[in-house]
Amino acid sequence: WVRLDPVHLRAERSRLRLVLLPPGDIASHEAEALRAALAAHLAQEGYALLAPHAQRWYLRTPRPLELFTQPPDECAGALDERHLPAGADGAAMRRLITEAQMLLHELPVNEAREAAGKLG
């Protein structure tokens, strides 16, 4: 299992910034729409994404991973290489994160969140 909580990634001119979502920011229906979109994609590689709480998500992996990660609050701000997943499975996890970013970017639920002034 891997804890996989939702955050906002903001692309800036020369860097990527991780922004923590305020407590209660994601409504349960928004979390389910986001989780469902990601779960369908992740299932293709044997992963299962569970979201028992709107801001507390878990990824069940098909096998134990050799992975080193950091909690989001320790990575908040400008991201660099030391904040990204590392270890033997780090590259595969970084690829999944990039794919997730692309998938989530244009989802209607994120467009609605942004229109409401929330982080998408």
Side-chain angles (χ1 to χ4, degrees):
W1 290 93
V2 176
R3 178 108 177 234
L4 193 68
D5 296 344
V7 296
H8 175 76
L9 295 177
R10 180 177 297 144
E12 296 179 346
R13 180 171 291 198
S14 62
R15 63 183 170 200
L16 190 61
R17 182 172 296 279
L18 186 142
V19 180
L20 299 176
L21 299 176
D25 183 67
I26 300 178
S28 59
H29 72 279
E30 293 171 329
E32 180 50 28
L34 295 167
R35 188 210 62 80
L38 285 174
H41 178 72
L42 293 168
Q44 296 173 19
E45 296 197 38
Y47 294 97
L49 182 60
L50 306 171
H53 182 279
Q55 288 186 252
R56 199 170 47 251
W57 297 14
Y58 301 92
L59 183 67
R60 188 180 67 213
T61 62
R63 63 175 177 75
L65 299 179
E66 292 183 41
L67 190 65
F68 303 100
T69 63
Q70 297 179 33
D73 59 339
E74 291 183 20
C75 301
L79 288 175
D80 59 40
E81 198 67 29
R82 65 190 160 105
H83 295 116
L84 300 176
D89 292 307
M93 188 57 62
R94 291 190 303 273
R95 179 184 54 80
L96 285 176
I97 290 169
T98 299
E99 291 171 359
Q101 286 175 271
M102 292 186 293
L103 177 67
L104 294 173
H105 180 69
E106 293 183 357
L107 282 182
V109 66
N110 269 336
E111 290 176 351
R113 285 177 54 78
E114 289 176 8
K118 294 181 176 181
L119 297 173

